[in-house]
Amino acid sequence: MPETKSKKKRTSKASASRASETPAAEIARLSAEIAHHDALYYRDDAPEISDADYDALRRRLDELEKAHPGLRQADSPTVKVGAAPVAAFGKIRHDVPMLSLGNAFEDQDVVDFAERVRRFLMLGESDELEITSEPKIDGLSISIRYENGELTQAATRGDGAEGENVTANIKTVREIPHTLKGQNVPELIDIRGEIYLGHKDFEVLNAAQAESGGKIFANPRNAAAGSLRQLDASITAKRPLRFFAYAWGAASKLPADTQAGVVAAFKHWGLPVNSLMRIATTTEELLAFYRDIESKRASLGYDIDGVVYKVNRLDYQERLGFVSRSPRWAIAHKFAAEQATTVLEKIDIQVGRTGALTPVAKLRPVTVGGVVVSNATLHNEDEIARKDIREGDTVVVQRAGDVIPQVVEVVLDKRPEHSHAYKFSTVCPVCGSHAVRESVEETGKADVVRRCTGGLICPAQVKERLKHFVSRNAFDIEGLGTEKIEFFFDTGRIKSPADIFTLEARDRASDEPLTKLRGFKDTSVRKLFAAIDARREVPLDRFLFSLGIRHIGETTAKDLAKAYGSLEALRSAVDAAIEGGKESDAYRDIDNIEGIGETVIDALVDFFSEAHNQEQVAALLKEVTVQPYVRTQTKESPVTGKTVVFTGTLTKLTRNEAKAQAERLGAKVSGSVSKKTDYVVAGTEAGSKLDNARALGVTVLDEDGWLALIGQA
Ligand code: IVH
């Protein structure tokens, strides 16, 4: 988000969070505020608040949504930013063509480059020649025009002479200012640089694409290009594209007489520039920079494919000029290829905790970008079919930074004769149960993920569940990691969570105790038993999370723990929902809990209706004590522990605000009236709930009565 060009700033009002607000109310307010500012910014080009204030709003919303994913609104501005769609891309001619760079692959090529420049400029041995060095970003180049500091148009490189008009899309890239700030902003300047996608964002995007059956991008560069070239700029807006400014085209005036000076001015104007740029005066320094950047390559968080050296003085650049389509004053020193060709020997199917079957390519080991690769992800069944990947195929494998290696494509010329299209198994490779693609409720289409239906009879799922059970955010049993679980499971010592806690007693009675086995020392066995013992008391939220129920992550487990306080209370609510079914009050009561929706309730109902699970939980509860949830923030209030139902239209608060406020004060908000209801708060046009309350003799309050009760009148 750029510096504002607004005359009226509403800085202080924008970002302050209100002391009395619940997370839900704050999320709702922030979402609305941000949507309002997005519209002013993207649609009207007339922002009212500064970048810093806008960023503060987004940071706060991000923070809240991360802490309470269940509260994220479907149309949250963190996933949807409004920007008017463009009908089609027009063309923009570049006043100064966008050229490319010559390449250096060997150290000697760099030495030759520096010598060539010196010769051309007729520099003496003692004359200094400064050369900048910076990472070569592997994204797509873009030219952004600013007139009197305002972003007026943006174009892709295209054929170098003419590119596509992507102004609307570029305006959605948060890092690119709509207005340049500070001194010496020229009347006109075309800023050039690279649009890219970070590794983490790329993985998140591909995972989401895989989940929704969308296009899987081969690498961050393709994903960035695909994201930018969207006719509907609101799609671009959802993709976290980033930008580095490193060059310029047409300019009415330049702010400095060196490459580094101009880039420093870019930074002052609010443009993102790469902080790794250095100035060198010898070839040795250039090569040292190259090696340093190469060693940092995997940890930079974005793809680079080399470094770029540029003569620093602009008058030298001018004199050096261009040869064919590349400047004589710059060169790209490329890294070794990050793609390699190898044979895909086999497709393995891994079975996860929830039964998801994930295909993994087993490769003949090959070095890609300096790392030996023998596995690559294939994402899902549809992806294999789309690329027609077959066992025995020769494939192009790609690795970029720390991104999981991927199979880019099949080398069809090398396909063995009589090869067959890969047939994705419809049974679980581990337990033989049916593996199905459930239909997705919202879309009605088959899920891209095929799942084993074996549940607890599937050893792979059981093993993964046990690993989850002992993991850091669950029972957190020290010394009981993945390998130990595999060993204890494979040797029949641990088959269920309860077995972990009976391990010591059984081991004592055993003819073959652990201490007799290779790799188990007395002290480590003792430590392990002590670590297990230390977890015989477990907080409710951790306990719920550890069960590995689908859709119950840490946050949802906390929400449930907070709402019910004890395992018993939660179990009886779920049992009532199992008995009553989807239309029952009991089901709706759970639905009324902040952060909990039908997906979670259905998962709870499925889990607790299953006899296997009931047995396992009962066995576990013989070994461990679940501590009730301790409310830390909530102070005692007149409604602590009371059950409240809101009905009808409220005028001073929205229903959601009222609900959130009541919960903050320790009340339980329910959607239906029963004998257990303490208060019914009736707004105008209250219907059957009010009648029920009267019939059951439940205290009925109007809105003012409620506010008086909680001390907010
Ligand atoms: S300077 C006259 N600096 O590499 C060309 N280019 O192979 C001036 N690139 O089209 C370009 N990082 O898309 C420059 N730090 C960097 C770069 C960079 C990536 C790209 C750019 C260019 C291509 C040339």
Side-chain angles (χ1 to χ4, degrees), residues 99-101 134-137 141 157 194 246-247 308 310 327:
L99 302 180
S100 58
L101 293 168
E134 65 198 73
K136 183 173 187 302
I137 317 299
S141 44
R157 180 176 183 277
E194 208 80 354
Y246 52 64
V308 183
K310 297 171 188 168

Side-chain angles (χ1 to χ4, degrees), residues 448-491:
V448 279
V449 180
R450 189 176 283 279
R451 282 177 208 278
C452 160
T453 54
L456 284 171
I457 67 137
C458 176
Q461 287 191 53
V462 175
K463 242 194 241 184
E464 293 307 313
R465 286 191 198 189
L466 286 168
K467 287 179 198 167
H468 172 78
F469 183 86
V470 298
S471 65
R472 204 158 57 87
N473 298 327
F475 266 71
D476 189 23
I477 300 178
E478 224 183 298
L480 194 53
T482 301
E483 274 174 38
K484 287 252 167 50
I485 287 289
E486 295 260 353
F487 172 81
F488 288 137
F489 183 84
D490 293 341
T491 57

Side-chain angles (χ1 to χ4, degrees), residues 97-103 134-142 157 192-194 244-248 259 274 305-308 310 322 325-327 329-330 332 334:
M98 290 182 81
L99 302 180
S100 58
L101 293 168
N103 287 329
E134 65 198 73
K136 183 173 187 302
I137 317 299
D138 195 9
L140 58 144
S141 44
I142 206 91
R157 180 176 183 277
R192 292 185 176 168
E194 208 80 354
F244 279 129
Y246 52 64
W248 58 93
Q259 177 75 30
N274 193 291
D305 56 349
V307 302
V308 183
K310 297 171 188 168
F322 293 81
R325 295 173 58 77
S326 315
W329 45 266
K334 301 294 275 291

Side-chain angles (χ1 to χ4, degrees), residues 270-522:
L271 291 157
V273 301
N274 193 291
S275 62
L276 298 168
M277 185 207 257
R278 295 287 178 272
I279 301 175
T281 51
T282 65
T283 314
E284 289 72 35
E285 286 174 88
L286 293 180
L287 295 175
F289 178 84
Y290 175 86
R291 298 203 208 302
D292 183 45
I293 296 296
E294 191 172 33
S295 72
K296 295 192 175 112
R297 186 179 187 183
S299 55
L300 290 178
Y302 49 86
D303 270 3
I304 60 172
D305 56 349
V307 302
V308 183
Y309 308 127
K310 297 171 188 168
V311 169
N312 195 26
R313 275 174 60 162
L314 298 189
D315 57 338
Y316 283 176
Q317 287 191 6
E318 184 92 16
R319 278 170 60 192
L320 284 155
F322 293 81
V323 54
S324 72
R325 295 173 58 77
S326 315
R328 228 183 249 112
W329 45 266
I331 197 162
H333 191 179
K334 301 294 275 291
F335 292 138
E338 292 229 301
Q339 283 195 344
T341 301
T342 188
V343 175
L344 185 156
E345 296 182 324
K346 195 171 173 303
I347 295 177
D348 248 14
I349 304 292
Q350 293 179 350
V351 185
R353 175 166 61 85
T354 57
L357 307 192
T358 307
V360 176
K362 294 285 161 187
L363 306 168
R364 187 170 296 164
V366 62
T367 305
V368 193
V371 174
V372 179
V373 167
S374 49
N375 293 321
T377 171
L378 293 171
H379 298 288
N380 58 48
E381 185 172 348
D382 292 350
E383 189 60 11
I384 297 179
R386 197 176 64 75
K387 291 185 181 160
D388 187 18
I389 296 169
R390 305 179 181 190
E391 291 181 327
D393 268 347
T394 295
V395 293
V396 176
V397 183
Q398 177 163 271
R399 216 194 116 249
D402 47 8
V403 174
I404 308 161
Q406 323 221 348
V407 172
V408 181
E409 60 186 2
V410 173
V411 184
L412 285 175
D413 293 350
K414 296 200 176 163
R415 172 163 280 170
E417 261 180 60
H418 313 301
S419 82
H420 302 287
Y422 183 74
K423 202 161 173 303
F424 207 94
S425 177
T426 52
V427 294
C428 171
V430 178
C431 73
S433 300
H434 284 298
V436 298
R437 292 174 68 163
E438 292 161 8
S439 106
V440 180
E441 217 170 287
E442 298 95 64
T443 60
K445 288 197 204 137
D447 193 350
V448 279
V449 180
R450 189 176 283 279
R451 282 177 208 278
C452 160
T453 54
L456 284 171
I457 67 137
C458 176
Q461 287 191 53
V462 175
K463 242 194 241 184
E464 293 307 313
R465 286 191 198 189
L466 286 168
K467 287 179 198 167
H468 172 78
F469 183 86
V470 298
S471 65
R472 204 158 57 87
N473 298 327
F475 266 71
D476 189 23
I477 300 178
E478 224 183 298
L480 194 53
T482 301
E483 274 174 38
K484 287 252 167 50
I485 287 289
E486 295 260 353
F487 172 81
F488 288 137
F489 183 84
D490 293 341
T491 57
R493 286 176 168 83
I494 294 179
K495 293 278 183 202
S496 74
D499 292 348
I500 296 171
F501 294 93
T502 58
L503 181 67
E504 184 175 1
R506 284 182 289 118
D507 196 59
R508 275 186 211 291
S510 161
D511 296 339
E512 207 186 22
L514 289 175
T515 46
K516 283 205 177 150
L517 300 181
R518 265 210 316 174
F520 284 92
K521 294 206 191 78
D522 281 7

Side-chain angles (χ1 to χ4, degrees), residues 517-550:
L517 300 181
R518 265 210 316 174
F520 284 92
K521 294 206 191 78
D522 281 7
T523 42
S524 63
V525 171
R526 226 178 310 125
K527 267 194 189 155
L528 174 64
F529 290 155
I532 293 173
D533 258 348
R535 293 289 182 265
R536 284 189 189 268
E537 289 210 350
V538 60
L540 175 58
D541 52 328
R542 272 185 185 263
F543 180 83
L544 290 174
F545 175 65
S546 75
L547 295 179
I549 304 171
R550 257 179 99 182

